[in-house]
């Protein structure tokens, strides 16, 4: 082999080495990027899992609160119905009392008129 051929082979080998080094650098960069993305994805999945667990805990708490509220409402229902019945009865009593009051006023006026007429009739005789 001549010196020119050796130089050309050496130049080709240097070019190949440079390209292999570039590929190695690119692979290392891709590997580093992939590792970072995987770590971020793992952190994201961890955060999502924590949020789902917190939501599940809140739903469980709300389920208990709704059950307690439903029980309380069921216990209060007869009392509320009794109060409503008493209100209706009180309205009826108030109306009846008004009618009785006005009837008593009318009757007392009528009795007064009768008495004055009766007294007038007997006093005139």
């Amino acid at each position: 082999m001549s010196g020119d051929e050796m130089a050309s082979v050496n130049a080709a080998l240097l070019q190949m080495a440079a390209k292999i080094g570039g590929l190695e650098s690119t692979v290392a960069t891709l590997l580093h990027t992939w590792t970072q993305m995987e770590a971020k994805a793992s952190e994201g999945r961890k955060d999502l899992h924590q949020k789902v667990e917190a939501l599940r805990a809140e739903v469980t708490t709300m389920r208990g609160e709704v059950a307690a509220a439903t029980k309380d409402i069921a216990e209060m229902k007869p009392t509320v119905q009794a109060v409503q019945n008493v209100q209706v009865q009180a309205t009826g009593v108030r109306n009846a009392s008004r009618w009785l009051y006005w009837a008593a006023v009318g009757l007392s006026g009528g009795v007064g008129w009768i008495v004055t007429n009766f007294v007038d009739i007997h006093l005139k005789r």
Side-chain angles (χ1 to χ4, degrees), residues 50-123:
Q50 288 174 346
K51 288 177 183 178
V52 168
E53 286 300 317
L55 181 62
R56 186 183 333 186
E58 285 181 30
V59 167
T60 302
T61 302
M62 286 176 50
R63 183 184 308 149
E65 290 173 355
V66 167
T70 303
K71 181 182 173 191
D72 290 345
I73 290 169
E75 290 174 358
M76 290 188 308
K77 191 172 183 178
T79 304
V80 169
Q81 287 176 342
V83 168
Q84 288 174 341
N85 289 340
V86 168
Q87 286 177 338
V88 169
Q89 290 173 356
T91 301
V93 168
R94 184 177 61 227
N95 290 338
S97 297
R98 285 181 186 164
W99 281 102
L100 287 174
Y101 172 77
W102 288 111
V105 167
L107 285 176
S108 65
V111 169
W113 181 79
I114 290 173
V115 168
T116 55
N117 281 335
F118 182 70
V119 171
D120 284 343
I121 293 173
H122 284 34
L123 290 179

Side-chain angles (χ1 to χ4, degrees), residues 1-8:
M1 260 200 191
S2 71
D4 285 341
E5 289 177 347
M6 281 296 267
S8 123

